[in-house]
């Protein structure tokens, strides 16, 4: 295979990051030039020794010092902190940056990578939620592609290939998470352990909790708005428990084109790295006969009202999507630390949005300052 692609993986030790490396392991043409992690230096060391990138960033400064000692025998440059992450994002030898860090920490590196003329394989949905109005025009200005890794957005992107740009509607599917069908009363005593059990996908902690509250689908609606230039009202969310139909596009003539497959993130990651080519994939063929039913139903937005909050924030735009995201990031952290209850996650988001006076067209510093203020005030209160 003569496929060659130099990539940087930001967040290489996470769920998306490790699966990206699995693909690179299979296709030697995908070369890892730079890697980054926050603090998991044990796994990062193993990855560094296997793939021999030229540059590695450890975001945590103290861990970076330890890491340098661990790999002193290798010819690898080690950088740290936020400046290190930006250096990795702009690493000259790379053509594409896979943004697989979690939360708003993906925003600045993505902007830096775009300015360094890298294509973006975008897993970090928070980037477009908070800064879509900055990132999308910037990508156009620098002539780089934003290729979706999020499975639903990859499915939509695949469904758009070879079709007219004008579409009628996007159908964004959601598994419904572990608490589908439950009432608010039944969710009162949910523990982090309960919420971390996702029925179909094995993902990082934050996105797993977000899937259970439907915040994840809310973030994805806003992500889709920016990626595909559609209005929020033209994005329909359907609960599809089997996670086989990964999302679809309805065209003007009512034709619905969808992408189907097993729930396996390696396909969307691989497609983002090989687009427009398709390379073979092992062990994940869809066997239709294993599924007795493929079901589709409307979400329960009374119990999982964060989805509606996201729609409103996405429609209003401005700083509200940042407020939605930042309050969720803070609330999920507190929930995982056992400091708030499960139902408080959505309550905190609701209050943060109600307490905010919107700013239209926020600058990057407005976004980062709002993120900091929202998180600080939520941590202070609990
Ligand atoms: P994980 O929590 O599994 O991994 C996050 C990665 O980012 C790790 O490498 C982690 O390092 C690093 N990291 C964490 N915090 C910071 C920080 N503040 N600065 C720099 N690096 C940091 O997350 P996922 O892989 O599940 O998700 C990554 C992104 O992809 C998210 O935005 C998520 O919404 C999106 N996504 C994920 C899917 C999935 O299947 N997992 C599906 C679709 C989208 P360390 O290991 O050292 O902590
Ligand atoms: Mg998704």
């Amino acid at each position: 295979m003569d496929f060659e692609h130099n990539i940087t993986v930001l967040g290489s030790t996470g769920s998306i990051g490790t699966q990206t490396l699995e693909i690179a392991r299979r296709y030697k043409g995908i070369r890892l030039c730079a890697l980054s992690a926050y603090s998991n230096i044990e796994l990062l060391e193993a990855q560094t020794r296997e793939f021999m990138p030229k540059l590695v960033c450890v975001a945590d400064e103290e861990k970076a010092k330890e890491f340098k000692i661990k790999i002193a025998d290798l010819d690898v440059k080690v950088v740290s902190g936020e400046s290190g992450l930006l250096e990795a994002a702009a690493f000259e030898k790379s053509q594409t940056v896979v943004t697989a860090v979690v939360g708003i920490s993906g925003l600045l590196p993505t902007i830096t990578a775009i300015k360094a003329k890298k294509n973006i394989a975008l897993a970090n949905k928070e980037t477009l939620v908070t800064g879509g109005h900055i990132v999308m025009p910037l990508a156009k200005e620098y002539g780089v592609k934003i290729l979706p890794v999020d499975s639903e957005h990859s499915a939509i992107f695949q469904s758009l290939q070879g079709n007219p740009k004008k579409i009628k509607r996007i159908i964004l599917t959601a598994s419904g998470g572990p608490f589908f069908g439950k009432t608010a009363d039944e969710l009162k005593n949910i523990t982090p352990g309960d919420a971390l059990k996702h029925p179909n996908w094995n993902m990082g902690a934050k996105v797993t909790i977000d899937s259970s509250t439907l915040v994840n689908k809310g973030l994805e609606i806003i992500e889709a708005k920016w990626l595909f230039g559609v209005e929020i009202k033209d994005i329909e969310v359907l609960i599809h428990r089997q996670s086989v139909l990964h999302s679809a596009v309805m065209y003007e003539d009512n034709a619905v084109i969808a992408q189907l497959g097993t729930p396996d993130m390696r396909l969307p990651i691989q497609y983002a790295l090989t687009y427009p080519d398709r390379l073979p994939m092992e062990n994940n063929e869809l066997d239709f006969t294993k599924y007795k039913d493929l079901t589709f139903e409307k979400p329960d937005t009374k119990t999982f009202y964060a989805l509606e909050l996201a729609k409103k924030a996405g429609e209003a735009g401005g700083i509200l999507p940042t407020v939605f995201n930042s309050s969720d990031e803070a609330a999920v952290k507190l929930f995982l630390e056992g400091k708030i209850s499960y139902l408080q996650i959505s309550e905190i988001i609701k209050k943060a949005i109600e307490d905010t006076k919107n700013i239209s067209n926020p600058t990057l510093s407005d976004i980062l300052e709002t993120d900091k203020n929202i998180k600080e005030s939520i941590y202070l209160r609990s």
Side-chain angles (χ1 to χ4, degrees):
M1 206 240 340
D2 57 0
F3 183 83
E4 291 214 350
H5 199 162
N6 289 344
I7 69 167
T8 288
V9 183
L10 303 180
S12 65
T13 51
S15 161
I16 295 289
T18 51
Q19 293 180 86
T20 308
L21 267 52
E22 232 185 272
I23 293 161
R25 195 170 283 129
R26 208 147 19 96
Y27 289 112
K28 298 295 171 213
I30 296 176
R31 282 195 298 258
L32 295 170
C33 299
L35 299 178
S36 91
Y38 185 72
S39 62
N40 185 351
I41 54 172
E42 288 72 27
L43 180 54
L44 192 62
E45 180 184 0
Q47 294 179 339
T48 304
R49 291 190 182 278
E50 180 180 357
F51 292 97
M52 292 301 290
K54 295 271 174 271
L55 182 81
V56 177
C57 170
V58 183
D60 182 293
E61 306 273 3
E62 286 307 308
K63 290 281 179 180
K65 288 181 197 150
E66 276 180 54
F67 185 73
K68 263 190 196 160
I69 298 167
K70 274 176 178 290
I71 60 139
D73 57 316
L74 303 181
D75 179 22
V76 175
K77 183 176 176 190
V78 179
V79 291
S80 64
E82 190 177 276
S83 63
L85 194 59
L86 301 186
E87 191 175 335
F91 187 60
E92 55 160 341
K93 295 215 163 34
S94 231
Q95 298 159 283
T96 296
V97 174
V98 182
T99 62
V101 297
V102 61
I104 199 169
S105 62
L107 179 60
L108 276 180
T110 308
I111 289 177
T112 303
I114 293 171
K115 288 186 175 167
K117 298 216 165 119
K118 315 293 177 196
N119 290 322
I120 308 295
L122 185 86
N124 180 262
K125 58 193 86 189
E126 296 89 343
T127 292
L128 289 184
V129 170
T130 56
H133 60 292
I134 297 170
V135 170
M136 293 311 287
L138 201 66
K140 204 168 168 201
E141 182 187 336
Y142 282 85
V144 303
K145 293 190 188 75
I146 309 261
L147 296 153
V149 167
D150 211 343
S151 59
E152 297 79 359
H153 304 73
S154 175
I156 295 160
F157 182 62
Q158 293 178 61
S159 303
L160 287 166
Q161 300 305 310
N163 283 304
K165 285 225 157 55
K166 189 155 193 294
I167 62 176
K168 189 167 181 180
R169 193 182 308 150
I170 279 177
I171 296 152
L172 193 68
T173 52
S175 72
F179 309 132
F180 173 76
K182 296 221 183 300
T183 61
D185 205 43
E186 290 169 322
L187 296 175
K188 268 189 192 144
N189 299 318
I190 292 296
T191 65
D194 300 325
L196 285 170
K197 279 185 218 127
H198 193 280
N200 303 341
W201 300 96
N202 188 7
M203 312 179 284
K206 194 228 170 207
V207 60
T208 307
I209 303 293
D210 285 350
S211 296
S212 78
T213 53
L214 292 198
V215 163
N216 182 52
K217 215 42 58 180
L219 296 172
E220 289 185 355
I221 292 178
I222 305 173
E223 183 187 13
K225 161 183 147 165
W226 288 114
L227 277 173
F228 307 113
V230 291
E231 289 186 42
I232 300 282
K233 71 171 177 46
D234 295 328
I235 305 172
E236 179 183 12
V237 172
L238 284 181
I239 304 291
H240 168 50
R241 296 293 284 159
Q242 300 78 20
S243 299
V244 164
L245 188 149
H246 296 308
S247 281
V249 175
M250 184 184 280
Y251 288 91
E252 292 283 289
D253 57 359
N254 292 343
V256 178
I257 313 277
Q259 184 256 327
L260 288 78
T262 52
D264 183 344
M265 282 308 295
R266 290 175 312 160
L267 170 64
I269 298 169
Q270 180 170 299
Y271 189 64
L273 295 180
T274 64
Y275 170 80
D277 293 329
R278 289 185 181 273
L279 299 188
M281 172 74 77
E282 297 154 354
N283 307 329
N284 83 339
E285 259 187 42
L286 175 63
D287 179 357
F288 277 101
T289 63
K290 284 209 176 118
Y291 295 89
K292 245 176 87 208
D293 293 308
L294 292 183
T295 56
F296 299 91
E297 49 203 302
K298 290 206 182 300
D300 168 7
T301 50
K302 197 163 156 268
T303 307
F304 301 96
Y305 59 88
L307 182 62
E308 289 302 301
L309 294 174
K311 274 192 199 166
K312 289 206 180 103
E315 265 160 11
I319 202 71
L320 289 186
T322 297
V323 173
F324 178 85
N325 177 69
S326 303
S327 56
D328 173 63
E329 280 189 35
V332 169
K333 182 169 183 287
L334 292 173
F335 172 66
L336 289 172
E337 289 168 355
K339 293 183 182 152
I340 61 166
S341 73
Y342 181 74
L343 291 176
Q344 277 178 290
I345 300 174
S346 299
E347 285 166 20
I348 285 173
I349 300 171
K350 185 164 182 274
K351 180 162 175 12
I353 289 182
E354 281 169 0
D355 290 352
T356 302
K357 192 169 174 298
N358 203 3
I359 316 173
S360 59
N361 213 12
T363 61
L364 193 53
S365 50
D366 290 332
I367 294 169
L368 297 175
E369 201 185 307
T370 300
D371 175 65
K372 192 165 160 274
N373 292 341
I374 291 273
K375 286 176 178 166
E376 272 175 11
S377 76
I378 292 171
Y379 295 147
L380 264 179
R381 282 204 312 267
S382 52

